[in-house]
Amino acid sequence: MSRTQDQITPQAPRMRVWRGIFRGISAVVLSITVVLAFAAVVIPTFTGAQTYTVLTRSMEPAYPPGTYLVVRPTPVDELKLGDIITYQLKSGQPEVVTHRITGVSTNSDGERRFTTQGDNNAVADPEQVRPVQIRGALWYAIPYLGWLTGLRGESSSSVWIPIAAGLVFLYAAYMVVAWIIERRKTRAADAEQPEHDTAPEGPADPLPGSDDSKL
């Protein structure tokens, strides 16, 4: 008996697979970007926090150079030993330092004074910090983001930071719309694809000489 059976092998949708991989990677990158945008831009903007970048090794290993710091204004009375604060070297001057509080004292006028020291420094800072110098306490930090953004918490960045955040969210909206359009196109293409009917198998053809012969 000889029988030939047609087999239908669909073509592998390679382009669709590659598009899916690309969109998956884009979704991951976009998600990370949105989270970083919220943490580095949106939250500080709406909470009045300041942002800084660590430039020296004085706070290693926890906060190496390039760490992005978000510093929140904190009442002086709430500051305590172990808190990390950002303060001006001279009141009213732009130069700031971010170090840990290692001592708290009160002068004769009842004003609190803070002794600070870098985690990686062998000795405390030479001068105590007055409340008027303090910009705030460390809220949270993002490793290495400072080198990527170049943000220093200066007023000059207040204009383009919201613009950068807006561009990120516009790109996010574009990716969502593109994904929806692609899904609709895929479903439409699947609906238009004809179904392949399989013919029922008939009786097998007899092999030559297979019939019984009577002599």
Side-chain angles (χ1 to χ4, degrees):
M1 180 179 65
S2 173
R3 182 174 61 184
T4 301
Q5 183 178 359
D6 294 333
Q7 297 180 349
I8 301 174
T9 304
Q11 295 182 353
R14 294 183 179 178
M15 292 301 297
R16 186 179 300 176
V17 171
W18 282 111
R19 283 198 300 266
I21 294 174
F22 172 76
R23 293 193 182 279
I25 296 174
S26 299
V28 172
V29 173
L30 179 61
S31 299
I32 296 174
T33 304
V34 170
V35 170
L36 290 178
F38 264 96
V41 178
V42 178
I43 294 178
T45 299
F46 285 96
T47 60
Q50 297 291 322
T51 58
Y52 302 91
T53 296
V54 177
L55 301 178
T56 68
R57 300 180 179 275
S58 64
M59 289 299 290
E60 286 185 332
Y63 307 102
T67 302
Y68 186 81
L69 305 178
V70 178
V71 176
R72 180 169 53 180
T74 305
V76 176
D77 294 339
E78 296 181 7
L79 297 176
K80 60 186 183 300
L81 290 175
D83 287 346
I84 297 175
I85 61 173
T86 297
Y87 64 91
Q88 298 170 327
L89 289 176
K90 298 294 182 181
S91 179
Q93 298 298 318
E95 291 82 11
V96 297
V97 174
T98 300
H99 280 173
R100 192 181 302 275
I101 296 176
T102 57
V104 181
S105 60
T106 305
N107 64 5
S108 58
D109 296 330
E111 183 183 61
R112 302 186 80 191
R113 298 292 181 91
F114 300 92
T115 301
T116 57
Q117 181 177 339
D119 291 351
N120 198 34
N121 292 349
V123 296
D125 299 332
E127 297 183 5
Q128 286 189 313
V129 180
R130 300 175 56 195
V132 69
Q133 298 173 252
I134 298 175
R135 303 300 301 270
L138 178 63
W139 190 5
Y140 58 88
I142 306 174
Y144 309 114
L145 185 64
W147 292 140
L148 298 178
T149 60
L151 304 181
R152 299 292 187 272
E154 301 174 355
S155 59
S156 60
S157 63
S158 61
V159 175
W160 64 267
I161 286 179
I163 295 177
L167 292 176
V168 170
F169 293 120
L170 285 176
Y171 179 72
Y174 163 77
M175 291 297 297
V176 171
V177 172
W179 179 81
I180 293 174
I181 294 175
E182 181 65 22
R183 289 287 296 174
R184 289 181 177 178
K185 288 182 178 179
T186 301
R187 290 178 180 177
D190 292 342
E192 293 177 358
Q193 186 175 1
E195 297 181 357
H196 297 280
D197 295 329
T198 302
E201 296 183 359
D205 296 333
L207 294 175
S210 62
D211 293 341
D212 293 335
S213 300
K214 295 180 180 180
L215 299 177

